[in-house]
Amino acid sequence: MGNCLSSTQSDSEEEESPPPATSPPPLTAPDPTPTSSRQPTRGRSLRYYTGKSRSSDVFAMKPLDALRSYATVHHPPHSLPASTLLMSTPHTLAIFDAYPKAKYHFLVLPRYPFPPRSNPESRSSIVKLDHLDSLRTLLLKTSADVREQVIGALADTAQEVEEMIRDEMIKTEGFEWGINIGFHAIPSMKHVHLHVISEDRMSDKLKTKKHYNSFRPDLGFFISLIDVQHWIEDGDDQSIRQHIESLDSAEALLDTPLMCFKCDEPEHNMPSLKKHLEKEYEKEKKTALKRIAERGRQRSSDEDMF
DNA sequence: GTTCTAGAAC
DNA sequence: GTTCTAGAAC
């Protein structure tokens, strides 16, 4: 499975070299994890190319297996195109969602082996591959220590991705808006993955009620990372099992009638919902830019006072 | 996960 | 008549 990925790798590729001194710094603040192999991304948009998807045309594979293929490559920056890979760490990958449901939409997944063989501290994976199938298997089949390590690694990378998105929002739009981080209750692709998605939900790829409802942060199908962290922090195996079992009934939530998750206004169909979301976004942008302008003035007068 | 398309909704 | 959705096929 992973072979088809490495076989596409060019023989002429060299080991990663640091960017030249004249090269601009990475997109975000200094990398907190020195082993991170995040690529220099300055000048590279976090937005998506218009047109066809990137990952599926590069690798001939079944879409449902794509994440696992990515998760098992030995050297992500060499094996995955920059249009697929946002960043990698020894424990995780962050990739562009091939069918983004918002202006910014990334997936964070644990690599396998976890930690990778290249880590001298640990020569073999502390978690079995099939225990990384889904959030369910991760929480139910691994020890408290292992699930905390995997969720913790996902959370660290998600936070980094969130910061990269925020930087890009400021750079391109002049303001920041909401970002949601969470799992789907019933995922359709194998290999546990965390969604990091901006709250605008403005995308050509957002087409159906199920698409929309699956990312509603208030519905119950989208399970926030914070909730899962609480489950594993204060829960014993029994209570975690109950949380996981409650996910089984989440499928019906996808049929919930369309309504704006920001203002609760019902919408008749997807085209009207999408227009409404655009209005919400424009309204938020206007308010935010106005507040930033005011705060700027206010802040300088505050500084005079103190 | 997506694409395609029949038939429901308007 | 056109727009839109939902389910089959992949």
Side-chain angles (χ1 to χ4, degrees):
Chain A
M1 177 159 48
N3 290 344
C4 69
L5 290 177
S6 48
S7 65
T8 63
Q9 189 177 321
S10 163
D11 290 334
S12 62
E13 279 179 323
E14 311 250 312
E15 279 301 307
E16 278 176 286
S17 53
T22 53
S23 166
L27 196 64
T28 50
D31 196 332
T33 54
T35 48
S36 168
S37 56
R38 183 204 289 173
Q39 299 171 309
T41 44
R42 182 67 174 274
R44 170 187 171 205
S45 176
L46 297 195
R47 292 287 179 76
Y48 293 85
Y49 303 131
T50 53
K52 60 184 178 177
S53 67
R54 298 150 309 287
S55 52
S56 55
D57 53 46
V58 174
F59 304 110
M61 65 175 71
K62 291 187 175 180
L64 303 185
D65 293 332
L67 296 186
R68 175 134 295 169
S69 302
Y70 298 157
T72 51
V73 300
H74 293 142
H75 197 314
H78 283 182
S79 306
L80 303 175
S83 54
T84 296
L85 182 69
L86 177 69
M87 61 168 284
S88 61
T89 75
H91 297 87
T92 62
L93 301 177
I95 61 170
F96 287 78
D97 190 295
Y99 296 90
K101 304 303 189 294
K103 285 175 182 280
Y104 302 96
H105 185 182
F106 299 94
L107 304 181
V108 178
L109 40 151
R111 293 174 63 181
Y112 179 86
F114 184 100
R117 287 187 243 278
S118 55
N119 184 343
E121 301 294 321
S122 168
R123 300 202 167 197
S124 62
S125 183
I126 61 168
V127 54
K128 291 179 181 172
L129 183 58
D130 60 352
H131 292 175
L132 291 176
D133 279 354
S134 63
L135 183 64
R136 161 188 292 272
T137 58
L138 177 64
L139 297 196
L140 293 187
K141 293 186 184 292
T142 67
S143 68
D145 176 50
V146 167
R147 64 192 177 224
E148 276 170 29
Q149 286 192 54
V150 175
I151 295 290
L154 295 179
D156 289 347
T157 298
Q159 192 181 339
E160 241 183 293
V161 172
E162 182 181 5
E163 285 164 12
M164 293 170 88
I165 295 173
R166 292 198 179 286
D167 287 350
E168 191 78 359
M169 286 173 165
I170 293 290
K171 198 158 67 183
T172 64
E173 314 277 342
F175 81 113
E176 295 173 49
W177 60 101
I179 295 170
N180 304 115
I181 300 177
F183 301 91
H184 274 163
I186 304 172
S188 41
M189 282 185 293
K190 192 192 272 193
H191 204 79
V192 58
H193 55 283
L194 188 56
H195 293 269
V196 182
I197 182 170
S198 58
E199 251 183 15
D200 51 88
R201 306 297 198 271
M202 286 163 61
S203 165
D204 291 347
K205 301 293 191 295
L206 184 76
K207 294 176 177 174
T208 70
K209 178 157 75 176
K210 289 188 180 188
H211 287 159
Y212 175 74
N213 282 338
S214 74
F215 288 103
R216 261 185 66 173
D218 56 340
L219 198 60
F221 192 91
F222 188 81
I223 312 297
S224 81
L225 171 64
I226 288 173
D227 286 350
V228 172
Q229 286 174 313
H230 286 151
W231 297 356
I232 65 176
E233 275 162 23
D234 9 282
D236 52 18
D237 284 13
Q238 173 70 12
S239 74
I240 289 174
R241 183 167 295 277
Q242 285 173 350
H243 285 301
I244 290 295
E245 282 169 2
S246 75
L247 303 181
D248 292 340
S249 53
E251 178 119 47
L253 297 169
L254 298 179
D255 287 326
T256 304
L258 289 175
M259 69 157 63
C260 173
F261 68 90
K262 290 170 185 270
C263 72
D264 289 351
E265 189 170 301
E267 290 295 338
H268 190 58
N269 55 33
M270 283 302 292
S272 67
L273 172 72
K274 287 165 73 77
K275 273 180 200 150
H276 178 88
L277 290 172
E278 282 180 33
K279 280 186 197 162
E280 287 281 353
Y281 171 79
E282 292 302 334
K283 195 168 68 183
E284 201 171 325
K285 179 170 185 172
K286 197 174 167 185
T287 308
L289 292 179
K290 192 178 167 192
R291 188 166 3 99
I292 287 166
E294 287 169 358
R295 203 203 296 151
R297 284 194 296 276
Q298 203 178 345
R299 190 181 284 156
S300 56
S301 61
D302 285 348
E303 281 164 4
D304 290 340
M305 290 175 70
F306 295 105

